[in-house]
Amino acid sequence: MIKNLLSAGDLDRTDAIRVLDTAEELLGVASRPIKKLPTLRGRTVVNLFFEDSTRTRISFEAAAKRLSADVINFSAKGSSVSKGESLKDTALTLQAMGADAVIIRHHSSGAPHRLAQAKWTKGAVINAGDGTHEHPTQALLDAFTMRRHLAQGGDGSLEGKNVTIVGDVLHSRVVRSNVLLLQTLGANVTIVAPPTLLPVGVDRWPVTTSYDLDASLEKADAVMMLRVQAERMNASYFPSAREYSRRYGLDTARLNRLPDHAIVMHPGPMNRGMEITADVADHVRSVIVEQVTNGVAVRMAVLYLLLGGAADDTSTTEGNA
Amino acid sequence: MTDYLILGADVLGNGPTDLVLRDGVIASLGADTAAPRDGVELVTIDATGLVALPGLVDLHTHVREPGREDAETVLTGSQAAARGGFTCVHAMANTEPVADTAGVVEQVWRLGREGGYCDVQPVGAVTVGLQGTQLAELGAMADSAAGVKVFSDDGKCVSDAVVMRRALEYVKAFDGVIAQHAQEPRLTEGAQMNEGPLSGELGLTGWPAVAEEAIIARDVLLAEHVGSRLHVCHLSTRGSVEIIRWAKSRGIDVTAEVTPHHLLLNDDLVRSYDPIYKVNPPLRSADDVEAVREGLADGTIDIVATDHAPHPMEDKECEWSAAAFGMLGLETALSVVQQTMVDTGRLTWEQVARAMSSKPAEIGRVANQGRPIAVGEPANIVLVDPSATRTIDPRDTASLSRNNPYAGLTLPGEVVATFLRGRATVRDRALVTPLVEGQVTA
């Protein structure tokens, strides 16, 4: 297994399926009366969040705690970071406190890579979302959710599944990680967006691109709607929220054109009425709430595998990894 | 006083010759045995295998003084320049305060003279505070002791077309030139790296080639319209080369520079997210690198200028988007040019002398720099060992900063000696410090 999880591209097919299979086993823990395993007892996991993201932070926190790790939450707001402390000094401080894993969320693309490659921390680095770059555990929980709903390939992959991802591809870290992981798992990805919200060079991505949502629904096994931030409107990416919603929003009429088995996904938080209508968000085929549940299991699996939980005897390395 | 007898130097790569440097000038050329003069030390230098070039002239240096003396001072920048074989550098105006008055440019000029390691020719800001709206007192800077001829808001683009037009027109009165940092500001808001497939993959905001090319296209047309002289700083894309080529074919009075880093490095290095590779304009594609080499080889690009941009460690040892733009360049420029242009057979040493000495001096209207190596000319000479190789160590520098993108690379060529008006600023591959004979006078 790899040491850090910086990019969804770090996982080859074997590793990716291993994470998903492990998550499947760990999902059972959540349904027990006592939702806790002793696997990471004595280990210290730091949530280093330079950007507000309560959802992702509590998901990682719950995952670490269910594995009995000690969790330190370090939020940039109200800390020395807001007084100008650098990423390097923050990382060195956490290292000095014995962090076995650093889960980092940062507004700057590549910040987790700097943390890992500049050797400012010896612990495992897990990317919990960096700028407009990647969010690998989101892609893992998305793939996990797809696997549970769509008949999977014999090896646990998503071979041949058609996934349509719609929205602000240019600024989305979710889509970059999803494209990498879904390719690894053998799915066919179609990206739908207005041309202004596609990055230069998207023609080299291993995906099909389209400007037309209606033409991209009928074969989809899963449709993933991306959040579109209102401020994009002011930067002339599209004329108005209403026009965006008409052309690229998922409403009931479009939902009805999907195959019967297709699922609707969203990484959250949703803009109801913008990229997705309330009716669709709450529809029986929407798996959006389940994605959140699965997020904890997938993050448990990542921590378990990266921190050597799979080793024969973790007690000998306790507090010393 | 010291006289120098240089034996067997390969002048401009045209064959070995002896030179005598005396009283600040080249006293003789050709087989010669200089007779010692009473009371004057005569130092003989065996220059067998060394190439002699006129002292290099940089049209684009950031010395950071006044304001950011933690990153570089006029003295340390001059010392780095001397180590790189330069005898003259043009100090860019984006200091704190901005060099937009006669007072600031005279201060920088005087600090250069006091240091004595190279001539420091200040560049004046085009607009007050680099704000792009109101012309700075260009005439006052031209008339000052610093005698400013080159004006630039470098770091920022003079993006307002009317302000650019007026600046181009106004400097005609004193034979000045506007050196434009070509960057359309709206197209580059928040830009972090070259816009291309890699920026999309890395999730870094793109700096599109068109933002540079659109300004260059506009500016060459403005220069043609008002009949003035334009210099384009750090051109970096294939399209920019093509526009300059077209403009020159129309007879427009435009010159262009390329940096050493745009000749050698490409944007693939950004994959590391190491901000040592963060620079403005950004490192471009491998195809752009090839295009600027072609442009320099065929003369479309007139000169190499370093854009030496020192930054303190903390502005580079951080996440990409928080880091400062810029790279060191003075001490490695000649080696990079040797590797990319000379060793590949694209430029002769004589052409290197033109691109790094005589032409930049001509653009900057620096009378006593970039002169031919001939009897009676100022003894501004650099001796280069083209057969040497060195592995670049960022700590081995005269600069106060370490933001060296070539760290760990092995580059050809080494400066053995630099003479500024007959006095050695570098000897035996090392900086002469202190300059024992005190300050060098003009």
Side-chain angles (χ1 to χ4, degrees), chain B residues 1-3 22-23 35-42 437:
Chain B
M1 290 291 290
T2 305
D3 291 350
R22 176 176 285 169
D23 296 332
R37 297 189 289 170
D38 281 347
V40 178
E41 183 190 15
L42 176 67
E437 295 169 52

Side-chain angles (χ1 to χ4, degrees), chain A residues 15-318:
Chain A
D15 279 348
I17 289 171
R18 191 166 167 209
V19 173
L20 300 180
D21 288 347
T22 305
E24 200 72 54
E25 289 174 34
L26 293 169
L27 190 63
V29 175
S31 55
R32 293 185 199 168
I34 297 170
K35 301 179 176 58
K36 206 150 178 142
L37 294 173
T39 317
L40 297 183
R41 193 160 48 85
R43 301 296 198 90
T44 300
V45 171
V46 176
N47 273 320
L48 178 57
F49 274 54
F50 290 85
E51 190 179 71
D52 287 336
S53 176
T54 309
R55 305 161 62 92
T56 304
R57 184 181 58 73
I58 61 177
S59 180
F60 269 110
E61 185 172 353
K65 284 182 171 168
R66 283 181 193 172
L67 293 171
S68 304
D70 296 321
V71 179
I72 297 171
N73 284 312
F74 190 106
S75 160
K77 276 192 181 161
S79 72
S80 50
V81 172
S82 60
K83 296 170 192 161
E85 187 177 71
S86 69
L87 175 61
K88 178 180 178 177
D89 287 324
T90 303
L92 293 174
T93 301
L94 297 174
Q95 175 59 31
M97 290 176 183
D100 296 298
V102 176
I103 296 159
I104 177 174
R105 169 82 151 220
H106 204 288
H107 46 80
S108 178
S109 298
H113 304 67
R114 284 294 281 161
L115 202 57
Q117 283 153 14
K119 313 246 185 262
W120 296 331
T121 175
K122 290 183 196 140
V125 177
I126 297 171
N127 182 356
D130 62 323
T132 55
H133 181 222
E134 281 213 48
H135 194 355
T137 59
Q138 177 72 42
L140 284 164
L141 77 87
D142 290 338
F144 182 79
T145 305
M146 287 179 217
R147 243 181 36 151
R148 290 180 67 83
H149 285 272
L150 309 175
Q152 54 182 278
D155 63 346
S157 72
L158 291 165
E159 194 67 46
K161 298 299 168 206
N162 296 316
V163 181
T164 298
I165 306 177
V166 187
D168 184 359
V169 175
L170 181 62
H171 301 97
S172 174
R173 49 190 165 218
V174 174
V175 75
R176 284 172 179 75
S177 287
N178 259 293
V179 166
L180 289 167
L181 185 66
L182 289 171
Q183 185 198 20
T184 301
L185 292 173
N188 308 313
V189 180
T190 301
I191 278 175
V192 183
T196 46
L197 291 175
L198 288 171
V200 166
V202 75
D203 51 313
R204 298 195 196 181
W205 291 18
V207 299
T208 305
T209 54
S210 171
Y211 308 138
D212 183 356
L213 178 56
D214 289 312
S216 311
L217 294 172
E218 272 155 25
K219 288 182 186 163
D221 297 304
V223 177
M224 187 185 302
M225 306 305 295
L226 301 173
R227 176 180 171 80
V228 176
Q229 294 181 348
E231 64 255 34
R232 306 293 175 220
M233 200 174 74
N234 303 325
S236 298
Y237 286 104
F238 47 86
S240 71
R242 292 320 314 153
E243 169 144 331
Y244 181 87
S245 189
R246 277 194 297 273
R247 292 175 71 84
Y248 296 100
L250 190 62
D251 58 12
T252 309
R254 284 183 171 133
L255 180 78
N256 288 336
R257 299 184 47 216
L258 291 168
D260 291 340
H261 68 274
I263 55 171
V264 174
M265 307 175 75
H266 193 299
M270 288 182 279
N271 291 310
R272 287 174 183 248
M274 177 77 174
E275 69 268 7
I276 191 167
T277 64
D279 282 346
V280 174
D282 298 332
H283 196 274
V284 63
R285 284 156 71 187
S286 158
V287 297
I288 296 167
V289 175
E290 193 188 322
Q291 285 174 271
V292 177
T293 308
N294 293 342
V296 177
V298 161
R299 286 165 181 137
M300 286 173 78
V302 168
L303 286 168
Y304 178 81
L305 293 170
L306 284 191
L307 290 186
D312 296 331
D313 184 6
T314 54
S315 60
T316 57
T317 58
E318 225 167 76

